[in-house]
Amino acid sequence: MKDNNQKIKLWLKNNQSKGIRLLQKLVTEPSKQGCEGTSQAIIVEKCRELGLEIDIWEPNGSKLFNHPYFVSPRTSFIDSPNVVGILKGTGNGRSLILNGHIDVVPEGDDSNWTADPFSAKIIDGKLYGRGSTDMKGGNVSLLLAIESIKECEIKLKGDVIFQSVIEEESGGSGTLASILRGYKADGAIIPEPTNMKIFPKQQGSLWFKVSVYGRSAHGGTRYEGVSAIEKSMIVIKEILKLEMTRNASISDSLYKNTPIPVPINIGKISGGSWPSSVPDLVTIEGRMGVAPDESIENAKEEMLKWLDKLEEIDQWFKKHPVKLEWFGARWVPGTIDLDHDLMTTLKHSYMEVKNEPPIIEASPWGTDGGLLSAVGNIPTIVFGPGTTEVAHYPNEYIEINRMFEAAEIIALTILSWCEVSEVQVDSLN
Amino acid sequence: MKDNNQKIKLWLKNNQSKGIRLLQKLVTEPSKQGCEGTSQAIIVEKCRELGLEIDIWEPNGSKLFNHPYFVSPRTSFIDSPNVVGILKGTGNGRSLILNGHIDVVPEGDDSNWTADPFSAKIIDGKLYGRGSTDMKGGNVSLLLAIESIKECEIKLKGDVIFQSVIEEESGGSGTLASILRGYKADGAIIPEPTNMKIFPKQQGSLWFKVSVYGRSAHGGTRYEGVSAIEKSMIVIKEILKLEMTRNASISDSLYKNTPIPVPINIGKISGGSWPSSVPDLVTIEGRMGVAPDESIENAKEEMLKWLDKLEEIDQWFKKHPVKLEWFGARWVPGTIDLDHDLMTTLKHSYMEVKNEPPIIEASPWGTDGGLLSAVGNIPTIVFGPGTTEVAHYPNEYIEINRMFEAAEIIALTILSWCEVSEVQVDSLN
């Protein structure tokens, strides 16, 4: 066993340029929503090179589109394939899903980037570009882990199911499609950018929109109207109180260093049409965090009930109640037992590679881990090499050495979880 | 004198259809900004019919564009002429400017109107259409007043200077241009829609924009950012406090029935770009009322000083001060002495026609009266037949009988203010 681990360490050390080249190829293809095809082609090519059993399909069908957990602004995934590559085991071992999303968020305003957003340039050990940290670097860690095992001629008992999915950034319909296609395993790892922290619990989240009503009037006689902006201030204040109440009840020690475990973020506000008119409509849009052990439905109900109480604070809302809508993206929360064997295995591997205990926390955002846990019933851990702070931001980068560390930790986890096949070791001897 | 008044009453009674037809012609021409030409052509035709000395010109020149009181989104007034028609007196009388704007605000969403916004339909004594109340009905009152005097063959000592100006709705560059062209008088009346109230004082106003800054972050870790929306709530609260402070110092009895004499209206708010990001910029736009006896500069300075104090309330503003800008429209405040002879004259005429004392108040909005007073040094009263509540709103209308009442009151005011020329009466005898 120790021998295998040493072989993997050595192989990864000797094949750094190969891994970096793969990441560069992936980052230079802007796999934004609807344009995932070329990046997936690179993944397919790699899976073929590794001799994996390959499955490529464009998610579709009423089972997907009508699934209660389906969320997407899209009505078709033509030209946006999912890719799965399976390293078949010899049998009688635990299987592991290695899931990463290929889609990246838009680069935003080019002028905020110091270089081309898809340059994949390397400066001081950091590879820059949209998607480098979130999460093509993590995906390369997965592929390197599989390749290192393969190249070291280690046979596994259990299957390793590598998934390169679309649509994570819009609510996870790629992963949902892979679950509905029948992919199951005894555990899963998602290498989202966690700063090498281990996240056994993932916060869910959902987007909401609140419409706040007023009554129009000329600004010069504004007392004849009712300002939707002033009323929206009351609503925002109450939503912040709801956030406080919800977080006060969270005692999970994984959140002990988190100022607000499950935030409610007011992200957008818009209202009024003329400087000298009293505004009669303000809409606010935000993101409501859902605790790992909470249901989406419970979170929705708490918000609805809270806003219903507005009329107790201001009579105006009695006749002019706010309108609450849930729209856009949604991420299901997820959780795995802290003493689950996959946790123990991953922690041990981390210790072996890094010579220090891992930091274990709950994620402050949603991942496809929620769907794998809640819909697929697959115990899932989120752990990856990317830098949390630069995800979705200009000048996104990944620290290259972390990508190889994560690859090694994941490879060792695979060996331990899926078990090395004695048949293979015998035949090698 | 009494005879003349009776003649005018009779003439107006017998010529209602003539006045209504003129208003219908004017309302069916949508004289929105840049499209005033055809309405002005109708005015020119009427002025010619009345035998007035006519002056038609497109405002222009560096004197206008560089004037400190010039405010307009436009850089050219080609095809948007001002029209002035003068009824020359026999001499030695006081002159009077009768000023009305020909521009109308846009009709807005057609679907909010029960009929075509420029239909000029009459239902139950009300004539409907954009501009009917604000202020083509008032303009027709002016023309009817002149016509009745003319048709009754009454000669005046002083000049009556009828002005049909562009651009009132955008800050008054039409009236400013007429002042700069040299038009002066001993007094002025503007028949804006006052509900037949007499406004010796007019509130000024100016538009402002405040940019409030935050620091972006992911909504799941919103505590790492600073919400510009939350900071904007502090700013709005403080602006409302400024409004309270400013209004507490107003003791003018003309405002005794006005809940907020000089309001500061927050009309628009906009900020943030993504529901699950902490917003780093919110802009609020509003209208600051300026008291009739206050200078625009003083109002600006009070706002600036007030916002400078934000840092005492929240340290954030010390390093991230809000940005205050004055933009768009601006109306200069105006005032005439309550015991000015023009006030006395107008009040008497009102009493004679209506058999009840007029309501005297301060206007809750700006008019071109501010420019006539402040730049032209012309004592100005705002008094007109339109309905305040429907100005700028869908289904705008004017009560037709009020238009004729206002015409009679204004005609009588002209006779008294400009004085009837004895020469004329003699020659008639």
Side-chain angles (χ1 to χ4, degrees):
Chain A
M1 190 68 145
K2 273 284 180 207
D3 271 5
N4 285 335
N5 294 4
Q6 285 307 316
K7 281 188 215 166
I8 280 167
K9 187 183 275 297
L10 193 65
W11 186 90
L12 283 169
K13 198 179 160 190
N14 293 337
N15 287 277
Q16 293 228 347
S17 59
K18 207 170 175 176
I20 293 167
R21 268 204 311 278
L22 177 58
L23 179 57
Q24 284 184 311
K25 272 168 76 178
L26 286 170
V27 169
T28 49
E29 292 296 339
S31 52
K32 291 176 275 190
Q33 192 178 56
C35 310
E36 309 87 345
T38 46
S39 275
Q40 292 291 55
I42 297 165
I43 296 289
V44 170
E45 191 187 15
K46 189 70 196 175
C47 288
R48 284 180 60 84
E49 185 193 322
L50 298 179
L52 307 184
E53 283 182 18
I54 301 177
D55 183 11
I56 308 167
W57 81 101
E58 291 160 341
N60 203 353
S62 62
K63 207 173 150 192
L64 174 65
F65 287 108
N66 298 329
H67 194 279
Y69 283 87
F70 176 79
V71 180
S72 176
R74 299 174 69 174
T75 53
S76 158
F77 300 105
I78 288 174
D79 295 334
S80 298
N82 268 346
V83 176
V84 169
I86 302 169
L87 179 69
K88 284 296 283 184
T90 57
N92 296 317
R94 289 179 294 195
S95 56
L96 187 66
I97 282 174
L98 301 174
N99 173 296
H101 65 83
I102 197 71
D103 56 313
V104 301
V105 294
E107 69 276 24
D109 185 355
D110 266 33
S111 67
N112 291 327
W113 291 75
T114 52
D116 180 322
F118 300 97
S119 73
K121 260 194 196 162
I122 298 169
I123 304 168
D124 293 336
K126 292 170 181 168
L127 190 149
Y128 284 82
R130 171 59 79 232
S132 55
T133 237
D134 185 11
M135 61 174 285
K136 289 173 174 173
N139 297 347
V140 171
S141 295
L142 300 180
L143 290 164
L144 284 170
I146 296 169
E147 189 167 11
S148 66
I149 292 167
K150 188 96 183 173
E151 291 293 312
C152 295
E153 297 185 328
I154 304 164
K155 278 270 177 204
L156 301 169
K157 287 184 180 172
D159 296 347
V160 176
I161 303 158
F162 168 77
Q163 304 180 327
S164 179
V165 297
I166 61 168
E167 288 290 306
E168 191 276 338
E169 298 290 0
S170 307
S173 47
T175 287
L176 180 60
S178 79
I179 296 166
L180 297 179
R181 202 165 171 90
Y183 288 110
K184 266 199 73 67
D186 299 307
I189 293 172
I190 302 180
E192 288 271 13
T194 70
N195 285 342
M196 301 293 278
K197 292 175 185 175
I198 293 174
F199 290 170
K201 302 193 179 192
Q202 304 121 47
Q203 180 169 148
S205 68
L206 61 168
W207 287 2
F208 62 89
K209 179 164 145 179
V210 181
S211 302
V212 185
Y213 302 97
R215 190 174 60 231
S216 197
H218 189 287
T221 50
R222 75 172 197 85
Y223 38 84
E224 286 172 1
V226 175
S227 166
I229 291 177
E230 286 174 49
K231 295 302 175 194
S232 76
M233 289 167 64
I234 298 172
V235 175
I236 290 169
K237 211 169 131 191
E238 288 306 306
I239 290 176
L240 292 177
K241 275 192 207 163
L242 171 63
E243 181 195 59
M244 217 193 313
T245 306
R246 280 169 57 81
N247 282 281
S249 68
I250 292 174
S251 55
D252 193 324
S253 68
L254 289 187
Y255 280 121
K256 67 176 189 291
N257 295 322
T258 310
I260 309 173
V262 190
I264 303 180
N265 182 68
I266 310 281
K268 283 182 76 175
I269 188 164
S270 168
S273 55
W274 198 247
S276 60
S277 292
V278 176
D280 60 357
L281 173 65
V282 166
T283 55
I284 56 182
E285 291 179 13
R287 169 213 183 266
M288 182 179 199
V290 183
D293 51 1
E294 184 185 18
S295 72
I296 292 269
E297 286 65 33
N298 182 70
K300 282 184 174 179
E301 204 180 308
E302 283 205 0
M303 175 75 90
L304 189 65
K305 277 190 181 162
W306 199 264
L307 294 180
D308 275 349
K309 288 195 303 182
L310 278 167
E311 64 176 58
E312 294 166 19
I313 291 148
D314 187 327
Q315 281 279 318
W316 171 258
F317 295 110
K318 202 157 194 161
K319 285 206 172 166
H320 309 272
V322 300
K323 185 167 88 182
L324 172 64
E325 290 166 283
W326 305 99
F327 78 109
R330 181 187 63 195
W331 287 267
V332 183
T335 186
I336 186 175
D337 284 346
L338 293 183
D339 53 2
H340 190 282
D341 202 27
L342 185 57
M343 275 296 288
T344 314
T345 308
L346 181 59
K347 281 194 282 182
H348 281 173
S349 301
Y350 186 99
M351 279 287 282
E352 185 168 341
V353 174
K354 297 276 289 178
N355 289 314
E356 59 183 17
I359 297 169
I360 297 174
E361 281 184 4
S363 86
W365 19 252
T367 72
D368 277 355
L371 287 168
L372 288 177
S373 318
V375 183
N377 285 314
I378 304 162
T380 304
I381 301 172
V382 177
F383 160 75
T387 302
T388 315
E389 294 74 19
V390 297
H392 295 211
Y393 282 83
N395 302 317
E396 177 179 343
Y397 65 81
I398 189 165
E399 293 181 29
I400 293 170
N401 69 326
R402 274 191 181 174
M403 182 171 80
F404 290 98
E405 280 178 353
E408 190 180 349
I409 293 164
I410 291 165
L412 268 49
T413 304
I414 294 170
L415 297 195
S416 174
W417 179 259
C418 302
E419 279 180 85
V420 175
S421 170
E422 298 300 327
V423 182
Q424 171 61 15
V425 175
D426 285 352
S427 75
L428 275 176
N429 287 345
Chain B
M1 188 69 147
K2 273 283 178 207
D3 269 5
N4 285 336
N5 294 4
Q6 285 308 317
K7 282 187 215 164
I8 280 168
K9 189 183 276 297
L10 192 65
W11 187 90
L12 284 168
K13 202 180 160 191
N14 293 336
N15 288 278
Q16 293 228 346
S17 58
K18 206 171 176 179
I20 292 168
R21 269 203 311 277
L22 176 58
L23 179 57
Q24 283 183 312
K25 272 168 77 180
L26 286 169
V27 169
T28 50
E29 291 298 339
S31 52
K32 291 177 275 191
Q33 193 178 57
C35 310
E36 309 87 347
T38 45
S39 274
Q40 291 291 54
I42 297 166
I43 296 289
V44 169
E45 192 187 13
K46 188 73 195 171
C47 289
R48 284 182 58 85
E49 186 192 321
L50 297 179
L52 306 183
E53 283 182 18
I54 301 177
D55 182 13
I56 308 167
W57 80 102
E58 291 161 342
N60 202 355
S62 61
K63 205 172 153 195
L64 174 66
F65 286 108
N66 297 331
H67 194 278
Y69 282 87
F70 176 79
V71 179
S72 176
R74 299 173 71 174
T75 53
S76 158
F77 299 105
I78 288 173
D79 295 333
S80 297
N82 268 345
V83 176
V84 168
I86 302 170
L87 179 69
K88 285 297 282 185
T90 56
N92 295 319
R94 289 179 295 195
S95 56
L96 187 65
I97 283 175
L98 302 175
N99 172 295
H101 65 83
I102 197 70
D103 55 314
V104 301
V105 295
E107 69 277 24
D109 186 354
D110 265 33
S111 67
N112 292 328
W113 291 74
T114 53
D116 180 321
F118 300 98
S119 73
K121 259 194 197 162
I122 298 170
I123 305 170
D124 294 336
K126 293 170 181 168
L127 191 151
Y128 284 82
R130 171 60 78 233
S132 55
T133 237
D134 185 10
M135 60 173 289
K136 289 174 174 173
N139 296 346
V140 171
S141 295
L142 300 181
L143 289 165
L144 284 169
I146 295 170
E147 189 168 10
S148 65
I149 292 169
K150 188 97 184 170
E151 291 292 312
C152 295
E153 298 186 328
I154 305 165
K155 279 268 177 206
L156 301 169
K157 287 185 181 172
D159 296 346
V160 177
I161 303 158
F162 169 76
Q163 303 182 326
S164 178
V165 297
I166 61 168
E167 289 289 304
E168 191 276 341
E169 297 291 359
S170 306
S173 47
T175 286
L176 181 60
S178 78
I179 296 166
L180 297 180
R181 200 165 174 91
Y183 289 108
K184 265 200 74 70
D186 299 308
I189 293 174
I190 302 181
E192 288 272 11
T194 69
N195 285 341
M196 301 293 278
K197 292 177 183 171
I198 293 175
F199 289 172
K201 301 194 180 193
Q202 304 121 48
Q203 183 170 146
S205 68
L206 61 169
W207 287 3
F208 61 90
K209 180 163 144 180
V210 181
S211 302
V212 186
Y213 303 96
R215 191 175 58 231
S216 197
H218 189 287
T221 51
R222 75 173 196 85
Y223 39 83
E224 287 172 0
V226 174
S227 165
I229 291 177
E230 286 174 49
K231 295 302 176 196
S232 75
M233 289 167 63
I234 298 172
V235 175
I236 290 169
K237 212 171 130 189
E238 288 306 307
I239 290 176
L240 293 177
K241 275 192 206 163
L242 171 62
E243 181 194 58
M244 217 191 317
T245 305
R246 281 170 56 81
N247 282 282
S249 68
I250 292 175
S251 55
D252 194 324
S253 68
L254 290 188
Y255 280 120
K256 69 175 186 294
N257 295 320
T258 309
I260 309 172
V262 190
I264 303 180
N265 182 68
I266 311 281
K268 283 182 77 176
I269 188 164
S270 168
S273 55
W274 199 246
S276 60
S277 291
V278 175
D280 60 357
L281 173 65
V282 166
T283 55
I284 57 182
E285 290 178 14
R287 169 214 184 266
M288 182 178 198
V290 183
D293 51 1
E294 185 185 17
S295 73
I296 292 269
E297 288 64 34
N298 183 69
K300 282 183 174 180
E301 203 180 310
E302 282 205 3
M303 174 75 90
L304 189 66
K305 276 191 181 162
W306 199 265
L307 294 180
D308 275 349
K309 288 195 303 181
L310 279 167
E311 65 177 56
E312 294 166 19
I313 291 147
D314 187 325
Q315 281 281 316
W316 171 259
F317 295 111
K318 199 156 197 164
K319 285 206 172 165
H320 308 272
V322 301
K323 186 168 87 184
L324 172 64
E325 291 165 282
W326 304 100
F327 78 110
R330 182 187 62 194
W331 287 268
V332 184
T335 188
I336 186 174
D337 284 346
L338 294 184
D339 52 3
H340 190 281
D341 201 27
L342 186 58
M343 276 296 287
T344 313
T345 308
L346 182 59
K347 280 193 283 181
H348 280 170
S349 302
Y350 186 98
M351 280 286 282
E352 184 168 344
V353 173
K354 298 274 289 176
N355 289 315
E356 59 182 17
I359 297 170
I360 296 173
E361 280 184 5
S363 88
W365 20 252
T367 71
D368 276 355
L371 287 169
L372 288 178
S373 320
V375 183
N377 286 313
I378 305 163
T380 304
I381 301 172
V382 177
F383 160 74
T387 301
T388 314
E389 294 73 18
V390 298
H392 295 213
Y393 281 84
N395 303 315
E396 178 180 343
Y397 65 81
I398 189 163
E399 293 180 31
I400 293 170
N401 69 326
R402 274 193 181 172
M403 182 171 80
F404 290 98
E405 279 178 355
E408 190 181 347
I409 294 165
I410 291 166
L412 267 49
T413 304
I414 293 170
L415 297 196
S416 174
W417 179 260
C418 301
E419 281 181 83
V420 175
S421 171
E422 298 302 329
V423 181
Q424 171 64 11
V425 173
D426 286 351
S427 76
L428 274 175
N429 289 344

